[in-house]
mmCIF file of all heavy atoms in Angstrom:
data_model
loop_
_atom_site.group_PDB
_atom_site.id
_atom_site.type_symbol
_atom_site.label_atom_id
_atom_site.label_comp_id
_atom_site.label_asym_id
_atom_site.label_seq_id
_atom_site.Cartn_x
_atom_site.Cartn_y
_atom_site.Cartn_z
ATOM 1 N N PHE A 52 21.902 -12.646 75.260
ATOM 2 C CA PHE A 52 21.830 -11.552 76.197
ATOM 3 C C PHE A 52 21.893 -12.006 77.644
ATOM 4 O O PHE A 52 21.132 -12.866 78.056
ATOM 5 C CB PHE A 52 20.550 -10.706 75.967
ATOM 6 C CG PHE A 52 20.679 -9.326 76.555
ATOM 7 C CD1 PHE A 52 21.292 -8.338 75.821
ATOM 8 C CD2 PHE A 52 20.230 -9.060 77.818
ATOM 9 C CE1 PHE A 52 21.435 -7.061 76.343
ATOM 10 C CE2 PHE A 52 20.359 -7.799 78.346
ATOM 11 C CZ PHE A 52 20.955 -6.790 77.617
ATOM 12 N N SER A 55 23.158 -7.828 83.556
ATOM 13 C CA SER A 55 24.092 -7.426 84.593
ATOM 14 C C SER A 55 23.769 -5.973 84.934
ATOM 15 O O SER A 55 22.959 -5.335 84.267
ATOM 16 C CB SER A 55 25.545 -7.534 84.070
ATOM 17 O OG SER A 55 25.750 -6.610 83.010
ATOM 18 N N LYS A 56 24.407 -5.453 85.983
ATOM 19 C CA LYS A 56 24.180 -4.047 86.376
ATOM 20 C C LYS A 56 24.542 -3.119 85.209
ATOM 21 O O LYS A 56 23.796 -2.181 84.884
ATOM 22 C CB LYS A 56 25.007 -3.715 87.601
ATOM 23 C CG LYS A 56 24.773 -2.288 88.113
ATOM 24 C CD LYS A 56 25.609 -2.022 89.360
ATOM 25 C CE LYS A 56 25.395 -0.599 89.842
ATOM 26 N NZ LYS A 56 26.228 -0.336 91.064
ATOM 27 N N THR A 57 25.679 -3.382 84.582
ATOM 28 C CA THR A 57 26.109 -2.562 83.457
ATOM 29 C C THR A 57 25.136 -2.661 82.310
ATOM 30 O O THR A 57 24.780 -1.646 81.685
ATOM 31 C CB THR A 57 27.516 -3.005 82.981
ATOM 32 O OG1 THR A 57 28.420 -2.936 84.060
ATOM 33 C CG2 THR A 57 28.010 -2.117 81.831
ATOM 34 N N ALA A 58 24.674 -3.860 82.046
ATOM 35 C CA ALA A 58 23.719 -4.087 80.951
ATOM 36 C C ALA A 58 22.437 -3.292 81.183
ATOM 37 O O ALA A 58 21.881 -2.660 80.272
ATOM 38 C CB ALA A 58 23.418 -5.558 80.802
ATOM 39 N N VAL A 59 21.931 -3.342 82.441
ATOM 40 C CA VAL A 59 20.686 -2.647 82.757
ATOM 41 C C VAL A 59 20.833 -1.139 82.553
ATOM 42 O O VAL A 59 19.936 -0.495 82.014
ATOM 43 C CB VAL A 59 20.274 -2.954 84.214
ATOM 44 C CG1 VAL A 59 19.095 -2.067 84.617
ATOM 45 C CG2 VAL A 59 19.863 -4.419 84.340
ATOM 46 N N ILE A 60 21.968 -0.587 82.979
ATOM 47 C CA ILE A 60 22.217 0.843 82.787
ATOM 48 C C ILE A 60 22.186 1.211 81.306
ATOM 49 O O ILE A 60 21.565 2.193 80.894
ATOM 50 C CB ILE A 60 23.578 1.255 83.402
ATOM 51 C CG1 ILE A 60 23.508 1.144 84.938
ATOM 52 C CG2 ILE A 60 23.952 2.677 82.983
ATOM 53 C CD1 ILE A 60 24.848 1.315 85.619
ATOM 54 N N HIS A 61 22.846 0.388 80.492
ATOM 55 C CA HIS A 61 22.884 0.660 79.066
ATOM 56 C C HIS A 61 21.508 0.478 78.427
ATOM 57 O O HIS A 61 21.145 1.201 77.495
ATOM 58 C CB HIS A 61 23.907 -0.217 78.375
ATOM 59 C CG HIS A 61 25.320 0.239 78.548
ATOM 60 N ND1 HIS A 61 25.808 1.382 77.967
ATOM 61 C CD2 HIS A 61 26.371 -0.292 79.240
ATOM 62 C CE1 HIS A 61 27.078 1.545 78.314
ATOM 63 N NE2 HIS A 61 27.440 0.549 79.085
ATOM 64 N N ILE A 62 20.743 -0.482 78.929
ATOM 65 C CA ILE A 62 19.375 -0.697 78.408
ATOM 66 C C ILE A 62 18.533 0.534 78.657
ATOM 67 O O ILE A 62 17.794 1.008 77.787
ATOM 68 C CB ILE A 62 18.736 -1.941 79.065
ATOM 69 C CG1 ILE A 62 19.391 -3.208 78.546
ATOM 70 C CG2 ILE A 62 17.233 -1.985 78.762
ATOM 71 C CD1 ILE A 62 18.971 -4.442 79.281
ATOM 72 N N LEU A 63 18.628 1.100 79.881
ATOM 73 C CA LEU A 63 17.869 2.303 80.208
ATOM 74 C C LEU A 63 18.260 3.461 79.313
ATOM 75 O O LEU A 63 17.404 4.222 78.855
ATOM 76 C CB LEU A 63 18.061 2.656 81.694
ATOM 77 C CG LEU A 63 17.469 1.651 82.696
ATOM 78 C CD1 LEU A 63 17.863 2.029 84.121
ATOM 79 C CD2 LEU A 63 15.958 1.590 82.569
ATOM 80 N N LYS A 64 19.575 3.613 79.092
ATOM 81 C CA LYS A 64 20.041 4.670 78.208
ATOM 82 C C LYS A 64 19.514 4.462 76.800
ATOM 83 O O LYS A 64 19.092 5.417 76.121
ATOM 84 C CB LYS A 64 21.587 4.693 78.147
ATOM 85 C CG LYS A 64 22.236 5.243 79.403
ATOM 86 C CD LYS A 64 23.764 5.251 79.225
ATOM 87 C CE LYS A 64 24.456 5.836 80.455
ATOM 88 N NZ LYS A 64 25.932 5.835 80.309
ATOM 89 N N ARG A 65 19.521 3.203 76.349
ATOM 90 C CA ARG A 65 19.040 2.894 74.988
ATOM 91 C C ARG A 65 17.545 3.145 74.852
ATOM 92 O O ARG A 65 17.054 3.606 73.823
ATOM 93 C CB ARG A 65 19.379 1.432 74.627
ATOM 94 C CG ARG A 65 19.343 1.131 73.134
ATOM 95 C CD ARG A 65 20.367 1.988 72.410
ATOM 96 N NE ARG A 65 20.451 1.654 70.997
ATOM 97 C CZ ARG A 65 21.343 0.838 70.483
ATOM 98 N NH1 ARG A 65 22.236 0.262 71.246
ATOM 99 N NH2 ARG A 65 21.376 0.612 69.192
ATOM 100 N N LEU A 66 16.798 2.868 75.949
ATOM 101 C CA LEU A 66 15.367 3.111 75.921
ATOM 102 C C LEU A 66 15.065 4.601 75.718
ATOM 103 O O LEU A 66 14.144 4.966 75.002
ATOM 104 C CB LEU A 66 14.724 2.603 77.226
ATOM 105 C CG LEU A 66 14.585 1.083 77.356
ATOM 106 C CD1 LEU A 66 14.106 0.731 78.766
ATOM 107 C CD2 LEU A 66 13.628 0.526 76.303
ATOM 108 N N VAL A 67 15.874 5.441 76.393
ATOM 109 C CA VAL A 67 15.709 6.885 76.238
ATOM 110 C C VAL A 67 16.024 7.292 74.795
ATOM 111 O O VAL A 67 15.288 8.062 74.167
ATOM 112 C CB VAL A 67 16.608 7.656 77.224
ATOM 113 C CG1 VAL A 67 16.566 9.155 76.932
ATOM 114 C CG2 VAL A 67 16.203 7.385 78.653
ATOM 115 N N LYS A 68 17.108 6.730 74.258
ATOM 116 C CA LYS A 68 17.498 7.019 72.879
ATOM 117 C C LYS A 68 16.389 6.611 71.900
ATOM 118 O O LYS A 68 16.079 7.279 70.939
ATOM 119 C CB LYS A 68 18.793 6.301 72.500
ATOM 120 C CG LYS A 68 20.054 7.050 72.862
ATOM 121 C CD LYS A 68 21.226 6.334 72.235
ATOM 122 C CE LYS A 68 22.516 7.111 72.485
ATOM 123 N NZ LYS A 68 23.687 6.419 71.858
ATOM 124 N N ASN A 69 15.839 5.392 72.162
ATOM 125 C CA ASN A 69 14.793 4.887 71.300
ATOM 126 C C ASN A 69 13.567 5.782 71.324
ATOM 127 O O ASN A 69 12.909 6.008 70.299
ATOM 128 C CB ASN A 69 14.394 3.463 71.729
ATOM 129 C CG ASN A 69 15.512 2.462 71.475
ATOM 130 O OD1 ASN A 69 16.407 2.737 70.693
ATOM 131 N ND2 ASN A 69 15.416 1.315 72.111
ATOM 132 N N LYS A 70 13.269 6.307 72.521
ATOM 133 C CA LYS A 70 12.107 7.174 72.669
ATOM 134 C C LYS A 70 12.289 8.482 71.900
ATOM 135 O O LYS A 70 11.409 8.976 71.217
ATOM 136 C CB LYS A 70 11.860 7.443 74.157
ATOM 137 C CG LYS A 70 10.555 8.165 74.437
ATOM 138 C CD LYS A 70 9.361 7.267 74.197
ATOM 139 C CE LYS A 70 8.053 7.948 74.592
ATOM 140 N NZ LYS A 70 6.885 7.106 74.282
ATOM 141 N N ILE A 71 13.519 9.025 72.033
ATOM 142 C CA ILE A 71 13.779 10.341 71.420
ATOM 143 C C ILE A 71 14.159 10.218 69.954
ATOM 144 O O ILE A 71 13.648 10.927 69.095
ATOM 145 C CB ILE A 71 14.890 11.060 72.197
ATOM 146 C CG1 ILE A 71 14.459 11.287 73.658
ATOM 147 C CG2 ILE A 71 15.224 12.398 71.541
ATOM 148 C CD1 ILE A 71 15.544 11.857 74.539
ATOM 149 N N PHE A 72 15.091 9.267 69.653
ATOM 150 C CA PHE A 72 15.640 9.227 68.304
ATOM 151 C C PHE A 72 15.125 8.030 67.480
ATOM 152 O O PHE A 72 15.467 7.882 66.317
ATOM 153 C CB PHE A 72 17.166 9.132 68.361
ATOM 154 C CG PHE A 72 17.785 10.282 69.081
ATOM 155 C CD1 PHE A 72 18.410 10.119 70.313
ATOM 156 C CD2 PHE A 72 17.761 11.567 68.530
ATOM 157 C CE1 PHE A 72 18.993 11.172 70.992
ATOM 158 C CE2 PHE A 72 18.360 12.626 69.179
ATOM 159 C CZ PHE A 72 18.953 12.437 70.412
ATOM 160 N N LYS A 73 14.319 7.157 68.127
ATOM 161 C CA LYS A 73 13.778 5.948 67.458
ATOM 162 C C LYS A 73 14.906 5.066 66.897
ATOM 163 O O LYS A 73 14.824 4.532 65.795
ATOM 164 C CB LYS A 73 12.838 6.363 66.310
ATOM 165 C CG LYS A 73 11.632 7.167 66.792
ATOM 166 C CD LYS A 73 10.750 7.518 65.622
ATOM 167 C CE LYS A 73 9.538 8.325 66.115
ATOM 168 N NZ LYS A 73 8.647 8.707 65.007
ATOM 169 N N ALA A 74 15.968 4.903 67.710
ATOM 170 C CA ALA A 74 17.181 4.205 67.253
ATOM 171 C C ALA A 74 16.877 2.760 66.867
ATOM 172 O O ALA A 74 17.210 2.311 65.756
ATOM 173 C CB ALA A 74 18.245 4.251 68.323
ATOM 174 N N ASN A 75 16.277 1.984 67.788
ATOM 175 C CA ASN A 75 16.018 0.578 67.478
ATOM 176 C C ASN A 75 14.983 0.430 66.389
ATOM 177 O O ASN A 75 15.061 -0.500 65.570
ATOM 178 C CB ASN A 75 15.532 -0.133 68.766
ATOM 179 C CG ASN A 75 16.682 -0.761 69.525
ATOM 180 O OD1 ASN A 75 17.844 -0.434 69.265
ATOM 181 N ND2 ASN A 75 16.380 -1.610 70.488
ATOM 182 N N LEU A 253 22.711 -4.909 69.979
ATOM 183 C CA LEU A 253 22.539 -5.007 71.439
ATOM 184 C C LEU A 253 22.641 -3.618 72.086
ATOM 185 O O LEU A 253 23.415 -2.785 71.629
ATOM 186 C CB LEU A 253 23.610 -5.935 72.033
ATOM 187 C CG LEU A 253 23.630 -7.368 71.514
ATOM 188 C CD1 LEU A 253 24.873 -8.077 71.973
ATOM 189 C CD2 LEU A 253 22.379 -8.123 72.013
ATOM 190 N N PRO A 254 21.915 -3.400 73.153
ATOM 191 C CA PRO A 254 21.927 -2.086 73.813
ATOM 192 C C PRO A 254 23.113 -1.901 74.742
ATOM 193 O O PRO A 254 22.966 -1.563 75.888
ATOM 194 C CB PRO A 254 20.594 -2.108 74.573
ATOM 195 C CG PRO A 254 20.417 -3.532 74.942
ATOM 196 C CD PRO A 254 20.951 -4.318 73.798
ATOM 197 N N ILE A 255 24.317 -2.145 74.240
ATOM 198 C CA ILE A 255 25.505 -2.103 75.090
ATOM 199 C C ILE A 255 26.613 -1.317 74.389
ATOM 200 O O ILE A 255 26.867 -1.520 73.203
ATOM 201 C CB ILE A 255 26.007 -3.545 75.380
ATOM 202 C CG1 ILE A 255 25.005 -4.286 76.239
ATOM 203 C CG2 ILE A 255 27.365 -3.491 76.092
ATOM 204 C CD1 ILE A 255 24.774 -3.703 77.605
ATOM 205 N N LYS A 256 27.267 -0.420 75.138
ATOM 206 C CA LYS A 256 28.441 0.258 74.623
ATOM 207 C C LYS A 256 29.644 -0.253 75.391
ATOM 208 O O LYS A 256 29.809 0.045 76.574
ATOM 209 C CB LYS A 256 28.321 1.779 74.794
ATOM 210 C CG LYS A 256 29.500 2.570 74.235
ATOM 211 C CD LYS A 256 29.302 4.053 74.439
ATOM 212 C CE LYS A 256 30.491 4.843 73.917
ATOM 213 N NZ LYS A 256 30.356 6.302 74.196
ATOM 214 N N HIS A 257 30.492 -1.053 74.749
ATOM 215 C CA HIS A 257 31.632 -1.638 75.404
ATOM 216 C C HIS A 257 32.707 -0.597 75.677
ATOM 217 O O HIS A 257 32.793 0.459 75.017
ATOM 218 C CB HIS A 257 32.220 -2.750 74.542
ATOM 219 C CG HIS A 257 31.390 -4.006 74.580
ATOM 220 N ND1 HIS A 257 31.734 -5.144 73.858
ATOM 221 C CD2 HIS A 257 30.256 -4.319 75.250
ATOM 222 C CE1 HIS A 257 30.841 -6.084 74.094
ATOM 223 N NE2 HIS A 257 29.936 -5.626 74.930
ATOM 224 N N SER A 258 33.551 -0.910 76.624
ATOM 225 C CA SER A 258 34.691 -0.037 76.969
ATOM 226 C C SER A 258 35.622 0.075 75.773
ATOM 227 O O SER A 258 35.931 -0.927 75.113
ATOM 228 C CB SER A 258 35.459 -0.626 78.167
ATOM 229 O OG SER A 258 36.547 0.169 78.512
ATOM 230 N N VAL A 260 34.908 1.892 73.132
ATOM 231 C CA VAL A 260 34.107 2.199 71.958
ATOM 232 C C VAL A 260 33.640 3.653 72.033
ATOM 233 O O VAL A 260 33.165 4.112 73.071
ATOM 234 C CB VAL A 260 32.875 1.268 71.867
ATOM 235 C CG1 VAL A 260 31.910 1.713 70.768
ATOM 236 C CG2 VAL A 260 33.329 -0.173 71.597
ATOM 237 N N ASP A 261 33.798 4.386 70.919
ATOM 238 C CA ASP A 261 33.359 5.781 70.885
ATOM 239 C C ASP A 261 31.882 5.907 70.566
ATOM 240 O O ASP A 261 31.207 6.827 71.040
ATOM 241 C CB ASP A 261 34.195 6.548 69.856
ATOM 242 C CG ASP A 261 35.663 6.613 70.234
ATOM 243 O OD1 ASP A 261 35.973 7.227 71.261
ATOM 244 O OD2 ASP A 261 36.492 6.017 69.511
ATOM 245 N N VAL A 263 28.210 3.471 69.253
ATOM 246 C CA VAL A 263 27.496 2.271 68.775
ATOM 247 C C VAL A 263 26.704 2.678 67.555
ATOM 248 O O VAL A 263 25.873 3.570 67.621
ATOM 249 C CB VAL A 263 26.581 1.698 69.858
ATOM 250 C CG1 VAL A 263 25.818 0.468 69.313
ATOM 251 C CG2 VAL A 263 27.402 1.303 71.093
#
Side-chain angles (χ1 to χ4, degrees):
F52 200 83
S55 65
K56 182 179 178 180
T57 303
V59 171
I60 291 171
H61 283 291
I62 289 171
L63 293 174
K64 287 182 178 179
R65 198 60 176 264
L66 286 172
V67 173
K68 274 189 176 181
N69 291 342
K70 189 69 176 178
I71 299 173
F72 302 111
K73 300 181 180 180
N75 269 12
L253 301 168
I255 294 297
K256 182 180 178 183
H257 285 179
S258 179
V260 171
D261 296 296
V263 178

